[in-house]
Amino acid sequence: MTTALVLSGCAGSSLDQSGGGGTGGAVKIGLLVPLSGVYAPLGEDMRNGFQLYLDQHGGKLGGRAVEVVSADEGEGPQTGVPAAQKLVTQDQVTAVVGVVNSATALGLRDFFHESKKPLLVANAGADDVTGARKSEYVWRTSFANGKVAAPLGPAVAKEAKGGVYLIAADYAAGREMIAGFRKTFEAAGGKVAGEEYTPFGKTQDFQPFLSAIRGSDAKAVYAFYAGAEAVSFVKQYKQFGLAGSTPLYGTGFLTEGGVLDAQGDAAVGVKTSLHYSAELDTPRNKEFAAAYRKAYDEAPTVYAVQAYDAATVLDKALPGAPGGTGEELVKALGTVGTVDSPRGRWSFDADHDAQQTYYLREVRSSGGTMVNAVVSELG
Ligand code: PHB
């Protein structure tokens, strides 16, 4: 793994402190991802994806050398908001990329809107960030919670042999991932057999919740968990004996990357919706996945791709911001057009969200390694 241009702060930097705003100089980009807490592994993937793009492009974006200033988002807004404020006010970055947690993104929206600094959200799916509270300064290269969850609803309504139990981490993302799924699931005739929200970042033993599922007459389960919680949930689901009898569905974060490695064969058969799989059989993804494996010795993840694509759009937009101002940069972000991403081609919609294809994936063993096989496109 290379850390060439990733610095942990601006101390000792020889670059000017203005964010490198002016033409030709280096440009400072803040990278705000969890370096601690349940989502730390997701943050690591995002750093890797962003760095890979830089390494493939001579350390430059928009023709200018880049200094990446990293900050720890931690487990939510209590840590993430001050860390972002430091990047903008003290380090004076030109833009901030990252943010894993929906609650952090919601906590940051007003700050970026008011300080007129571009925020490129490269994971957190909080619906309002590109919905009711959208801002010309906030752009998203990842997904909206409701939009990544919705495409799976009709598929589960068709497959499930009875009611479906809904379960998720109790915070903005979990609630929205359930709401987005529920809407299309019920519209397609699906029946909800129960609903539960588990304390976010605190639940290690899912046994009481799994007992409640068994006690209901659910014939399938739909779940949102990510990171360390996804590992525990899926492993305990299997240990508890539900995996054989009650098919498990979710958004793809449930079985993504290092999470899937840790789950091992407990995850076989889990079906999810997501806008990426390392298994996507396209020339663009094969080339990307090979480069990622070479650099980091592991398969790429959706988190890596979302950050890689944030670098891609900055590369396209920065030439349109010679003065380095937020106003110029967001105007240029509006003109980047189609991104030829490892996930497939996508572009920003009118709300600054990624308009993209979602895939139905199923965990299968491929020569002893667990993979998210791509079953079909969900639209
Ligand atoms: C979120 O909080 O928006 C979130 C976190 C982790 C994921 C997906 C969404 O994997």
Side-chain angles (χ1 to χ4, degrees):
M1 184 189 114
T2 171
T3 51
L5 287 160
V6 178
L7 309 179
S8 59
C10 68
S13 167
S14 59
L15 298 165
D16 75 73
Q17 298 295 299
S18 65
T23 317
V27 61
K28 267 193 199 180
I29 304 294
L31 193 57
L32 178 69
V33 295
L35 306 173
S36 58
V38 277
Y39 289 159
L42 286 50
E44 166 104 36
D45 291 358
M46 288 164 77
R47 282 166 63 111
N48 288 350
F50 197 80
Q51 187 65 42
L52 180 63
Y53 189 93
L54 289 179
D55 289 345
Q56 290 177 335
H57 295 83
K60 291 187 173 177
L61 293 177
R64 295 168 64 182
V66 174
E67 181 191 0
V68 179
V69 186
S70 290
D72 185 7
E73 178 187 343
E75 270 190 356
Q78 298 84 345
T79 41
V81 170
Q85 287 169 338
K86 178 193 163 283
L87 288 173
V88 170
T89 56
Q90 196 173 317
D91 300 322
Q92 300 196 346
V93 298
T94 293
V96 172
V97 171
V99 189
V100 163
N101 185 309
S102 279
T104 312
L106 290 166
L108 286 175
R109 184 269 177 205
D110 289 352
F111 172 70
F112 280 89
H113 183 76
E114 279 152 24
S115 35
K116 297 188 189 299
K117 275 282 168 196
L119 170 65
L120 282 106
V121 177
N123 185 67
D127 290 336
D128 277 0
V129 160
T130 51
R133 295 176 63 207
K134 73 180 181 196
S135 158
E136 57 185 309
Y137 290 92
V138 181
W139 297 70
R140 186 151 57 191
T141 63
S142 48
F143 58 90
N145 292 327
K147 289 185 195 162
V148 66
L152 194 58
V156 179
K158 201 164 152 206
E159 279 184 18
K161 305 267 182 287
V164 174
Y165 201 99
L166 313 177
I167 185 162
D170 190 9
Y171 78 106
R175 301 247 163 206
E176 291 179 352
M177 298 268 186
I178 296 287
F181 171 83
R182 185 177 196 138
K183 203 165 163 193
T184 58
F185 172 70
E186 289 186 332
K191 294 277 171 281
V192 173
E195 185 170 352
E196 185 64 82
Y197 296 91
T198 58
F200 171 65
K202 295 189 190 79
T203 309
Q204 268 137 31
D205 179 8
F206 286 94
Q207 200 104 329
F209 306 107
L210 297 170
S211 294
I213 291 173
R214 178 171 284 155
S216 75
D217 60 2
K219 296 289 183 280
V221 171
Y222 167 84
F224 166 75
Y225 291 106
E229 290 192 321
V231 176
S232 308
F233 183 79
V234 170
K235 281 179 103 167
Q236 291 174 30
Y237 195 85
K238 163 94 175 180
Q239 282 157 6
F240 201 73
L242 280 168
S245 60
T246 316
L248 178 58
Y249 298 88
T251 39
F253 316 106
L254 191 61
T255 59
E256 188 63 2
V259 159
L260 182 58
D261 296 339
Q263 290 162 342
D265 61 10
V268 168
V270 178
K271 287 188 187 168
T272 62
S273 60
L274 201 67
H275 43 291
Y276 182 68
S277 164
E279 295 297 295
L280 271 179
D281 192 10
T282 60
R284 179 74 185 94
N285 186 48
K286 282 186 159 162
E287 164 200 291
F288 168 78
Y292 192 91
R293 282 197 167 91
K294 188 158 177 244
Y296 306 111
D297 203 22
E298 61 190 17
T301 63
V302 72
Y303 308 108
V305 170
Q306 291 165 170
Y308 184 89
D309 286 356
T312 309
V313 297
L314 279 173
D315 197 11
K316 289 176 174 235
L318 276 165
T325 67
E327 285 98 326
E328 283 176 332
L329 187 54
V330 295
K331 205 161 164 228
L333 282 168
T335 68
V336 298
T338 304
V339 179
D340 184 17
S341 165
R343 75 180 88 169
R345 295 166 82 78
W346 67 270
S347 51
F348 286 120
D349 66 15
D351 296 332
H352 306 170
D353 243 337
Q355 195 159 4
Q356 58 196 339
T357 302
Y358 293 95
Y359 306 96
L360 176 64
R361 322 178 318 161
E362 180 176 5
V363 176
R364 294 181 188 152
S365 170
S366 166
T369 305
M370 299 305 139
V371 298
N372 286 294
V374 179
V375 177
S376 62
E377 288 187 8
L378 287 168

